[in-house]
């Protein structure tokens, strides 16, 4: 994720940068930093650096304490709030990053996938790296191009973007061109603008709003040159294009939420991007799964004879779905434990076991304790988490980061999808290394995963149907959610989401269990949400739906597009695209996230801050 700010103009840059960074802190808060050029002191002949850079781990408050009222003179600068992806959240890994001379500074949002290869190449050319980040390769690459071609910063960035692979919003300044900011976009959003007295850059509108309401969201694969009073834009092919200006009417609060009313809804809509980022760099062109983070040898991977998943809440539901994929694809037995129960049941573990801790925050006390217990028992420990540098990463031998970006809403949404994707990628990796999946099946599954971001976008179109159902059932006293197989995990997650933000009593059940007790709860008008997408158990699910309808329930069905049998049985129908059955939770849960959200809104409840809950639960 990360927040980027840039300013060039008549005012002192530092206060403008800090103000913009505070407004973008929701995009990342692992560290922050600024680079400011003081034009008066440029001494180009001696090569003496004239750029001041200040960086600090932690929230912006830490940087402000570091600056402690000192002013850094200069009317051009860039700033960054970091959400770590490569390299721990330390002072040294904080942006901006500089080239060897200290004359060029770069801030970056995204992931540069070929950073390893480029780093080796640039080191062999004599460049010195001082951080563990992928970003630093960009600034040395730009330096190397300028050195060899004697070109401008813009020309160097244009060439650099043809070499860099992955996703990047890159913003650069140089002491040799202290009147302009060069901006490049490949995927992550970046916005530029200009007023009569300033040129502005921000990764989101709030950073610019105090200075201009006329902004230019750069298109994918575009470069901009931002100066006081002007913006010029080129495609990555070098052809200049006429930038399209958008006039923004939002107030600051709406702008921070990207125009959405709440962070939860914004995060639901960020799910295509979150899933793209989770997959990025982990599936190569030939469809092979590459997990650089996992350094176990093939023999060690083949020796694993049991996996135990430990997690809490929504993360537990991700683990519940992952159990199905891991067992089906790898034939390794998987146990699933609530982290709070795990240690106290005297689990059977040894050096051939793998304990997989899942948690968005990486700070959940129960999950941490379970992982630490597993380490003491001599097992391998894998963490799947969203937060680089979190405590969970210190309890693990290997960490798969989900790269979903910060999640502000207390109810986990995009981190859940990212966990499902990360766990499935890990399962495919195990299958590939152990040779338990036919090549064509592996390729087919990888292809299905690649289609997911687009299918998530398609699923989001269900909003109008969900809104209608939310209005209809906002006053329900009870809700029942049912599913089978991976659909059971979706049912449990749907019920948890509804409970936590609408305070409606909700039960999630394996559909086959209904007849063993919970069916007694069914009476006229009780809404029953059923997941009908799981291929092998479809007929059985339909029978369960018939059973509850016969007892007066209203049915809210999640089914594949065009499923007429489901339509005939539904009071409300949420249609989702078809994917591989084991991947279906990634799509099926989306209407349920929305249903909870819109019911909370109908009831006038705050979805981002439900009562009694915290984003990370750091007590046992
Ligand atoms: C999810 O919506 C909840 N807020 C909660 O159940 C959460 O998933 C649980 O506390 C676990 O948190 P973690 O993923 O950070 O470990």
């Amino acid at each position: 994720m990360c927040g980027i700010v840039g300013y060039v103009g008549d005012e002192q840059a530092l206060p403008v940068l800090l103000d913009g960074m505070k407004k973008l802190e929701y995009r990342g808060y692992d560290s922050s930093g600024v680079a400011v050029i003081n034009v008066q002191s440029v001494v180009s002949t001696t090569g003496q650096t004239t750029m001041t850079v200040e960086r600090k781990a932690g929230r912006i408050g830490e940087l402000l304490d570091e600056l402690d009222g000192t002013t850094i003179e200069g009317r051009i600068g860039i700033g960054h709030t970091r959400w770590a992806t490569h390299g721990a959240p330390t002072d040294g890994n904080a942006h901006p990053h500089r080239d060897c001379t200290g004359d060029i500074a770069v801030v970056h949002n995204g992931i540069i996938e070929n950073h390893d290869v480029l780093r080796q190449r640039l080191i062999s050319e004599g460049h010195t790296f001082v951080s563990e980040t992928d970003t630093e390769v960009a600034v040395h690459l730009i330096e190397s191009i300028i050195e060899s071609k004697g070109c401008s910063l813009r020309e160097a960035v244009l060439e650099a973007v043809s070499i860099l692979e992955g996703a990047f919003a890159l913003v650069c300044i140089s002491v040799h061109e202290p009147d302009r900011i060069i901006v490049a976009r490949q995927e992550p959003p970046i916005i530029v603008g200009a007023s009569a007295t300033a040129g502005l850059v921000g990764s989101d509108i709030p950073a610019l709003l105090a200075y201009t309401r006329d902004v230019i969201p750069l298109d994918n694969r575009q470069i901009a040159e931002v100066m006081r009073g002007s913006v010029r834009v080129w495609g990555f092919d070098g052809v200049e294009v006429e930038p399209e200006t958008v006039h923004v009417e939002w107030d600051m609060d709406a702008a921070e939420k990207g125009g959405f009313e709440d962070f939860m809804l914004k995060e639901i809509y960020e799910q295509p991007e979150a899933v793209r980022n989770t997959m990025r760099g982990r599936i190569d062109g030939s469809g092979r799964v590459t997990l650089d983070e996992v350094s176990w040898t093939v023999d060690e991977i083949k020796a694993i004879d049991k996996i135990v998943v430990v997690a809490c809440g929504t993360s537990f539901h991700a683990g519940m779905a992952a159990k199905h994929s891991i067992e089906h694809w790898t034939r390794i037995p998987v146990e699933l434990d609530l982290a709070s129960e795990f240690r106290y049941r005297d689990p059977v573990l040894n050096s051939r076991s793998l304990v997989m801790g899942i948690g968005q925050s990486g700070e959940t006390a129960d999950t941490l304790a379970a992982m630490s217990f597993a380490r003491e028992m001599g097992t391998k420990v894998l963490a799947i988490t969203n937060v680089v540098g979190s405590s969970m990463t210190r309890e693990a031998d290997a960490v798969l980061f989900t790269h979903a970006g910060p999640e502000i809403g207390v109810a986990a949404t995009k981190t859940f999808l990212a966990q499902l994707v990360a766990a499935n990628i890990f399962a495919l990796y195990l299958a590939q290394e152990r040779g338990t999946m036919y090549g064509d099946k592996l390729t087919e599954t990888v292809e299905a995963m690649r289609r997911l971001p687009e299918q998530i976008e398609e699923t989001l179109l269900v909003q109008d149907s969900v809104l209608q159902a939310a209005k209809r059932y906002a006053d329900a006293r009870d809700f029942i959610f049912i599913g089978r197989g991976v659909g059971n995990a979706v049912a449990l997650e749907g019920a948890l989401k509804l409970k936590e933000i609408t305070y409606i009593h909700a039960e999630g059940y394996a559909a086959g269990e209904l007849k063993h007790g919970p069916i007694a709860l069914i009476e006229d008008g009780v809404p029953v949400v059923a997941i009908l997408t799981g291929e092998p158990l479809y007929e059985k699910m339909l029978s369960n739906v018939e059973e509850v309808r016969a007892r007066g329930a209203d049915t809210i069905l999640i089914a594949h597009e065009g499923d007429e049998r489901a339509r005939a049985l539904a009071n409300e129908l949420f249609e989702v695209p078809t994917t591989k059955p084991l991947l279906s939770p990634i799509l099926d849960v989306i209407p349920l996230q929305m249903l909870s959200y819109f019911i909370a809104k109908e009831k006038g409840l705050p979805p981002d801050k439900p009562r009694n809950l915290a984003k990370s639960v750091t007590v046992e």
Side-chain angles (χ1 to χ4, degrees), residues 1-20:
M1 196 77 161
C2 302
I4 288 177
V5 186
Y7 175 83
V8 53
D10 292 354
E11 294 182 36
Q12 286 296 325
L14 184 65
V16 181
L17 296 177
L18 292 173
D19 181 50

Side-chain angles (χ1 to χ4, degrees), residues 390-469:
S390 59
S391 307
M392 227 166 116
T393 63
R394 292 192 285 277
E395 295 294 345
D397 305 309
V399 184
L400 286 189
F401 291 110
T402 47
H403 299 316
E407 191 173 65
I408 311 291
V410 164
T413 53
K414 63 175 179 173
T415 53
F416 177 61
L417 260 65
Q419 287 169 348
L420 289 169
V421 169
N424 276 302
I425 288 181
F426 183 64
L428 287 174
Y429 178 71
L430 290 180
Q432 171 186 285
E433 300 302 298
R434 291 167 69 101
T436 50
M437 217 168 161
Y438 288 119
D440 54 347
K441 185 96 174 83
L442 188 67
T443 313
E444 209 181 278
T445 312
V446 161
E447 281 313 312
M449 291 198 79
R450 282 199 169 122
R451 283 194 294 278
L452 284 169
E454 269 176 36
Q455 291 186 310
I456 296 168
E457 271 158 19
E458 216 183 301
T459 309
L460 291 168
L461 301 175
V462 79
Q463 174 169 323
D464 285 348
S465 319
V466 177
L467 201 49
Q468 173 187 308

Side-chain angles (χ1 to χ4, degrees), residues 33 48 78 110 156 217 223 261 284 291 317 350 388 399 479 487 499 585 589:
Q48 185 182 321
I78 53 179
I223 283 196
E261 272 187 51
D284 71 16
L291 291 183
H317 299 148
N350 58 43
V388 176
V399 184
F479 257 84
K499 276 183 270 207
V589 76

Side-chain angles (χ1 to χ4, degrees), residues 405-612:
E407 191 173 65
I408 311 291
V410 164
T413 53
K414 63 175 179 173
T415 53
F416 177 61
L417 260 65
Q419 287 169 348
L420 289 169
V421 169
N424 276 302
I425 288 181
F426 183 64
L428 287 174
Y429 178 71
L430 290 180
Q432 171 186 285
E433 300 302 298
R434 291 167 69 101
T436 50
M437 217 168 161
Y438 288 119
D440 54 347
K441 185 96 174 83
L442 188 67
T443 313
E444 209 181 278
T445 312
V446 161
E447 281 313 312
M449 291 198 79
R450 282 199 169 122
R451 283 194 294 278
L452 284 169
E454 269 176 36
Q455 291 186 310
I456 296 168
E457 271 158 19
E458 216 183 301
T459 309
L460 291 168
L461 301 175
V462 79
Q463 174 169 323
D464 285 348
S465 319
V466 177
L467 201 49
Q468 173 187 308
K471 286 185 197 303
R472 188 164 169 184
Y473 295 108
D475 294 326
R477 194 193 56 192
D478 311 291
F479 257 84
I480 312 281
F481 291 72
I482 54 172
R484 285 171 181 258
V486 286
N488 185 26
V490 177
L492 264 60
E493 176 59 9
L496 174 62
K497 278 296 82 98
L498 193 74
K499 276 183 270 207
E500 70 177 329
I501 64 164
T502 73
Y503 319 146
I504 294 176
H505 167 243
E507 302 263 4
Y509 261 97
E513 269 293 289
L514 213 56
K515 57 187 174 293
H516 299 292
I519 202 160
L521 295 171
I522 308 291
E523 55 187 15
D524 268 355
V526 170
V528 174
V529 181
I531 321 299
L532 286 182
T533 55
E535 279 301 324
L537 298 162
Y538 176 78
E539 293 296 337
K540 291 190 194 305
M541 277 303 302
L542 272 188
S543 306
N544 295 133
V545 170
E546 297 273 18
E547 283 159 20
V548 295
R549 277 174 68 84
R551 288 159 178 83
D554 273 17
T555 50
I556 302 173
L557 305 184
I558 316 278
H560 286 146
E561 285 156 348
D563 182 342
E564 293 308 321
R565 293 173 75 193
R567 182 177 296 281
L569 295 178
N571 292 87
E572 300 287 343
L573 180 68
F574 303 151
E575 291 185 302
V576 294
T578 307
T579 180
K580 293 255 165 213
L582 287 171
L583 303 179
S584 59
I586 295 164
L587 305 175
D588 295 348
V589 76
I590 294 168
L592 303 187
Q593 297 169 338
M594 284 183 169
L595 184 66
S596 307
Y597 173 80
F598 286 117
I599 291 182
K601 295 301 280 183
E602 279 297 312
K603 294 173 94 66
L605 297 169
D608 288 342
K609 293 188 176 119
R611 70 184 180 203
N612 305 338

Side-chain angles (χ1 to χ4, degrees), residues 312-315 358-362 364 410-412 419 496-497 500 617:
C312 304
T314 292
S315 301
I358 307 181
Q360 56 82 24
S361 63
T364 298
V410 164
Q419 287 169 348
L496 174 62
K497 278 296 82 98
E500 70 177 329
V617 183

Side-chain angles (χ1 to χ4, degrees), residues 198-236:
L200 299 138
V201 182
S203 37
D204 214 341
I205 288 169
L208 287 77
L209 216 50
Y211 307 93
T212 180
R213 288 193 166 268
D214 294 313
V215 300
I216 303 167
L218 278 195
D219 274 346
N220 201 20
R221 299 177 63 75
Q222 283 188 335
I223 283 196
E225 185 177 72
V226 179
M227 300 176 71
R228 175 187 176 280
S230 76
V231 172
R232 291 178 68 191
V233 179
W234 293 260
F236 277 10

